[in-house]
Amino acid sequence: MCLAIPAEVEEVNFPIAIVNFGGTRKEVRIDLLPDVRVGDYVLVHVGYAIQKVDVKEVEELAAIYQKLQEEGIL
Amino acid sequence: MNKKELISKISEKIHEEAKDAGKIKIMHLCGTHEDTITKYNLRSLLPDNIKLLSGPGCPVCIIPDEDLQKVFHLIEKENIIFTTFGDMARVPHNGKSLFYYKAKGYDIRIVYSIFDAIKIARNSSRTVVHFGIGFETTMPSTALAILDAPENFCVFSSHRYFIPAMEHLISLGVEVNGFINPGHVSTITGIKAYEKIKKYGIPQIISGFEPEDVMLSILKLIKAIKRGDAEVFNEYTRAVTYDGNVMAQKVMDDVFSVDDWEWRGLGVVPRSGAVIKEEYSEFDVVKVFEDAFSDFVPVEDKAKKACRCGDVLRGIITPLDCPLFNKRCTPKDPVGACMVSFEGTCNIWAKFGVERN
Ligand code: SF4
Ligand code: SF4
């Protein structure tokens, strides 16, 4: 129900943005994130962008692994 | 290194840490976490002394039957258009559901966003009533809609604040050594919202939804539990900040005030209900249709006598302990709410074929 899915912002026309979910383009409301820019990644929930996401941290497993080692977790 | 290797590395580390840790119960509070855990069979990667419980993390599951019956009552009495998210439409009560009403010819529309409900209202002269469900993640969108709604639009608020439910769970005496906090609720509330739960001495971690996120959160919790450290940790750093989405918090505060509302399985949870404030009462279904509700009387659903959703939601039992699970109660023909919602534990366990071994 409150699952949120990351999408890339492709066009901004406040309060609406066009975002791309891995190929599918969709209109979302950005009232809650007025400073989003084209190229940002946002979490989309029930048609609203609710927070920005740092994609680098999502996509690079090697970076995650290194971070964990530095933190002494692994 | 790939994902699988990373996960098995974390699993090894968990086994190592857990050796001298005694019995540990970790409760997650989010249906999407249960989905990840069951889909990737993460419980099988944990040692026997580490138990993962699922809590009241699905907003569809925790809405009590009384709210649902009020909605049915309204639909029967008034000539309205009723909009809802899809999951909610299948929750049964006494053999009826929103889909039942739709099939009977009532004007029930499934929407993806409350924004779609507003569009319907703008194109109609009839009153549109939207079923406002969801925790802090969903509430800001409802608040925004209310601030921008046409006159023929109102909301049935079944929204509930999640964080008071954590405190309530602890007060009910549910035995938990650590919490995995809901990631998307936290994007809105921020880490700071959990500060006041620290006093109970139970460590918490805000977690993302990939299997490695959940495994890592478990590892960090076990370490914290061993140290006796009751901090609020944040594993979901890519999306959750200390302050959260301040603008969303403000919109919620503008539109809603709090009240003590009931949850399925938890009873009345103090300060958890999101009441539409007096200044916006023209968008509050309870006020707009006051007369229609005056003769409302709740009735019990006999079919649910044996349903144990309440215990599933408190993490006291797993779905396998419910005698109806996958027999009388299935995703196709659910008895209880936990079997309906895609984030309900019973639905997830049935979908991924979890069985007693
Ligand atoms: S509403 Fe949010 S916290 Fe609750 S189950 Fe859904 S994703 Fe998890
Ligand atoms: S299996 Fe069905 S009846 Fe049993 S607790 Fe789950 S939802 Fe309720």
Side-chain angles (χ1 to χ4, degrees):
Chain A
M1 174 54 224
C2 83
L3 177 66
I5 299 170
E8 186 176 357
V9 177
E10 292 191 341
E11 281 170 43
V12 173
N13 189 4
F14 192 82
I16 290 180
I18 309 282
V19 301
N20 192 327
F21 296 92
T24 313
R25 280 160 58 92
K26 229 177 145 82
E27 263 190 10
V28 300
R29 300 277 304 211
I30 50 170
D31 314 55
L32 299 169
L33 282 182
D35 61 342
V36 290
R37 302 279 171 268
V38 170
D40 284 347
Y41 278 76
V42 291
L43 285 171
V44 176
H45 170 66
V46 294
Y48 285 77
I50 56 168
Q51 194 56 285
K52 283 195 205 178
V53 257
D54 180 349
V55 258
K56 269 184 250 116
E57 213 189 300
V58 192
E59 284 172 353
E60 291 164 26
L61 267 177
I64 299 176
Y65 187 59
Q66 203 188 344
K67 190 176 135 202
L68 297 182
Q69 272 189 325
E70 279 162 17
E71 282 181 34
I73 292 167
L74 288 182
Chain B
M1 155 130 84
N2 61 33
K3 220 170 152 113
K4 229 175 150 174
E5 282 163 2
L6 179 63
I7 293 167
S8 62
K9 256 244 129 71
I10 305 172
S11 166
E12 260 171 47
K13 198 77 192 175
I14 290 177
H15 277 262
E16 215 177 288
E17 281 289 336
K19 261 193 206 119
D20 55 350
K23 274 196 174 12
I24 288 180
K25 286 185 183 170
I26 292 172
M27 179 180 270
H28 71 74
L29 298 156
C30 169
T32 312
H33 280 143
E34 182 59 39
D35 191 76
T36 302
I37 290 162
T38 305
K39 178 151 79 194
Y40 295 96
N41 209 358
L42 299 185
R43 289 189 175 88
S44 72
L45 303 178
L46 303 177
D48 287 340
N49 58 329
I50 309 293
K51 285 275 171 285
L52 260 191
L53 315 175
S54 65
C58 167
V60 173
C61 301
I62 59 87
I63 289 178
D65 284 340
E66 186 165 329
D67 285 24
L68 200 59
Q69 289 180 77
K70 279 192 179 148
V71 165
F72 295 172
H73 184 79
L74 184 73
I75 289 168
E76 283 176 15
K77 287 185 80 166
E78 301 287 335
N79 178 26
I80 53 168
I81 300 174
F82 191 82
T83 58
T84 177
F85 298 136
D87 262 21
M88 202 60 218
R90 294 181 57 228
V91 180
H93 184 77
N94 270 334
K96 293 174 180 167
S97 67
L98 288 168
F99 270 134
Y100 163 93
Y101 283 101
K102 191 173 166 66
K104 288 272 174 207
Y106 291 90
D107 200 344
I108 314 289
R109 309 209 194 158
I110 308 297
V111 290
Y112 163 68
S113 162
I114 192 167
F115 191 50
D116 299 333
I118 296 251
K119 274 190 205 154
I120 294 171
R122 288 201 200 285
N123 292 314
S124 173
S125 54
R126 284 157 66 207
T127 300
V128 172
V129 180
H130 179 73
F131 205 169
I133 66 166
F135 301 135
E136 286 88 335
T137 327
T138 321
M139 253 187 252
S141 63
T142 303
L144 278 175
I146 286 176
L147 293 175
D148 183 37
E151 271 173 15
N152 61 333
F153 179 83
C154 60
V155 173
F156 188 108
S157 175
S158 269
H159 286 296
R160 278 159 174 78
Y161 293 93
F162 191 76
I163 295 177
M166 289 180 71
E167 223 173 335
H168 188 69
L169 258 180
I170 298 168
S171 77
L172 290 176
V174 173
E175 262 178 71
V176 189
N177 308 100
F179 284 114
I180 297 178
N181 292 352
H184 291 143
V185 165
S186 309
T187 60
I188 304 291
T189 65
I191 301 168
K192 66 167 189 237
Y194 299 97
E195 300 275 6
K196 63 174 191 200
I197 301 178
K198 275 188 182 170
K199 61 174 184 253
Y200 298 100
I202 302 171
Q204 313 165 50
I205 188 161
I206 297 164
S207 179
F209 299 94
E210 295 299 320
E212 62 272 22
D213 289 322
V214 176
M215 289 296 279
L216 199 57
S217 296
I218 294 168
L219 174 57
K220 285 193 178 180
L221 273 181
I222 295 172
K223 286 185 166 196
I225 291 164
K226 284 172 69 177
R227 286 198 305 271
D229 185 349
E231 267 305 306
V232 186
F233 301 97
N234 181 20
E235 187 277 336
Y236 201 22
T237 48
R238 60 189 184 268
V240 175
T241 60
Y242 184 78
D243 288 318
N245 187 330
V246 177
M247 181 165 189
Q249 293 162 19
K250 178 161 187 317
V251 182
M252 281 195 283
D253 283 351
D254 284 349
V255 172
F256 297 110
S257 61
V258 295
D259 197 358
D260 306 342
W261 279 9
E262 191 180 331
W263 294 45
R264 188 190 302 282
L266 302 189
V268 173
V269 179
R271 305 182 62 77
S272 69
V275 183
I276 297 170
K277 281 186 180 165
E278 201 57 46
E279 355 166 7
Y280 301 106
S281 58
E282 68 209 274
F283 303 109
D284 183 355
V285 80
V286 183
K287 304 279 163 55
V288 174
F289 290 101
E290 209 169 353
D291 290 346
F293 290 114
S294 61
D295 61 346
F296 169 78
V297 188
V299 284
E300 225 182 299
D301 180 353
K302 295 210 174 60
K304 283 192 191 138
K305 270 235 159 74
C307 165
R308 303 209 39 204
C309 279
D311 295 331
V312 170
L313 291 167
R314 273 172 294 157
I316 291 172
I317 66 164
T318 74
L320 299 181
D321 302 315
C322 172
L324 307 188
F325 180 74
N326 260 352
K327 295 191 180 93
R328 168 65 193 86
C329 181
T330 61
K332 268 214 170 106
D333 188 10
V335 174
C338 298
M339 188 58 94
V340 174
S341 164
F342 294 117
E343 282 164 0
T345 309
C346 298
N347 179 285
I348 295 167
W349 284 40
K351 185 169 64 195
F352 292 114
V354 182
E355 283 169 28
R356 199 170 284 287
N357 51 19

